[in-house]
Amino acid sequence: MFEAHSINSWYLFNPAPNLSFMLRHGANLTDVLQDFTINSRGFLISPKVKKVLNNFRLMRHQYFSAPVKTKDGSHNYSWLHLCDLELTHQINFAESVFFRTEFTFREEQIKLDSFDHYQELKSQDKTAAFGVELDEIVLSDKFDQSLDLFTFLPFDDNVYITQRLVNAFVDNDIQGFVFERTDKIRNTNANKSYSA
């Protein structure tokens, strides 16, 4: 439990954390499982999902061994750990729409000039209440358009995937993901249109 709680999206880990999970009574063993003990961006995935993902371009990431125990035995799952703050620097801050949050509750719209500007405002917060949420994302010309899976830390809880990755999940009968088309991203090709 301690190692699961220590995982965060700001760092890559070496050595990898020692993870193990137990499937909740009554839950179904799907290819993607929800986990509430890890407070970072990522997914608890089966070998089948990992095999599909190995054919696509993902943001910087790591896989951690994360066996899932059920009444039928142990299953060889992995935690897909997403960690790339550089992607946040590839947002067009001037044109994107941000909202200030207080203890995760949305307050008023806020202007940010850069990620450094966010860090400056965050450093002034003595109560750990201050946060920022992306409402509309405009990508800069620096953004890597070839990525099939990405997120924007720490401004967005969504993980975005391309239509071709959605198609691969469907073609391989991957169970456990929910996809929603998003109109949150501008200045990018039409493939980057789903959050998982």
Side-chain angles (χ1 to χ4, degrees):
M1 187 68 76
F2 172 77
E3 292 200 35
H5 282 305
S6 71
I7 297 174
N8 67 62
S9 298
W10 296 85
Y11 308 102
L12 293 175
F13 287 82
N14 186 18
N18 183 18
L19 301 175
S20 179
F21 297 91
M22 176 119 11
L23 190 68
R24 190 179 66 208
H25 179 70
N28 294 324
L29 188 68
T30 56
D31 295 304
V32 183
L33 298 172
Q34 187 172 17
D35 174 63
F36 296 106
T37 58
I38 297 179
N39 188 24
S40 72
R41 305 299 188 284
F43 300 103
L44 188 55
I45 59 172
S46 71
K48 187 175 169 184
V49 177
K50 188 174 178 182
K51 185 176 178 183
V52 171
L53 290 175
N54 284 338
N55 296 313
F56 290 87
R57 290 231 333 116
L58 280 57
M59 65 184 285
R60 188 172 72 162
H61 63 282
Q62 293 176 290
Y63 292 106
F64 304 144
S65 177
V68 175
K69 296 173 184 166
T70 68
K71 62 181 180 180
D72 300 322
S74 184
H75 304 269
N76 187 26
Y77 277 61
S78 298
W79 176 258
L80 169 61
H81 174 60
L82 303 175
C83 176
D84 195 349
L85 286 175
E86 281 304 309
L87 288 181
T88 304
H89 294 278
Q90 296 172 19
I91 294 171
N92 179 332
F93 280 82
E95 294 184 37
S96 295
V97 178
F98 298 89
F99 277 83
R100 181 181 72 81
T101 61
E102 181 123 0
F103 294 113
T104 71
F105 294 101
R106 186 181 271 209
E107 300 292 333
E108 73 279 351
Q109 194 169 327
I110 185 174
K111 274 297 202 191
L112 289 181
D113 303 324
S114 64
F115 185 70
D116 291 337
H117 182 203
Y118 160 76
Q119 288 183 305
E120 178 187 327
L121 294 172
K122 186 73 175 163
S123 71
Q124 298 168 13
D125 175 29
K126 304 304 179 202
T127 63
F130 175 81
V132 172
E133 182 180 296
L134 266 166
D135 193 60
E136 188 174 321
I137 306 163
V138 180
L139 302 174
S140 74
D141 294 337
K142 297 177 189 174
F143 185 77
D144 182 355
Q145 296 281 340
S146 69
L147 289 176
D148 291 296
L149 184 150
F150 56 92
T151 188
F152 297 103
L153 309 167
F155 302 131
D156 198 353
D157 289 333
N158 294 306
V159 175
Y160 298 96
I161 64 175
T162 59
Q163 179 66 59
R164 67 189 202 109
L165 182 50
V166 170
N167 293 344
F169 285 149
V170 171
D171 291 346
N172 286 278
D173 195 31
I174 300 298
Q175 302 295 311
F177 272 126
V178 174
F179 307 113
E180 295 179 6
R181 186 173 290 278
T182 183
D183 57 0
K184 209 171 170 177
I185 301 176
R186 289 195 297 124
N187 286 5
T188 186
N189 64 44
N191 272 342
K192 309 290 192 296
S193 58
Y194 285 84
S195 61

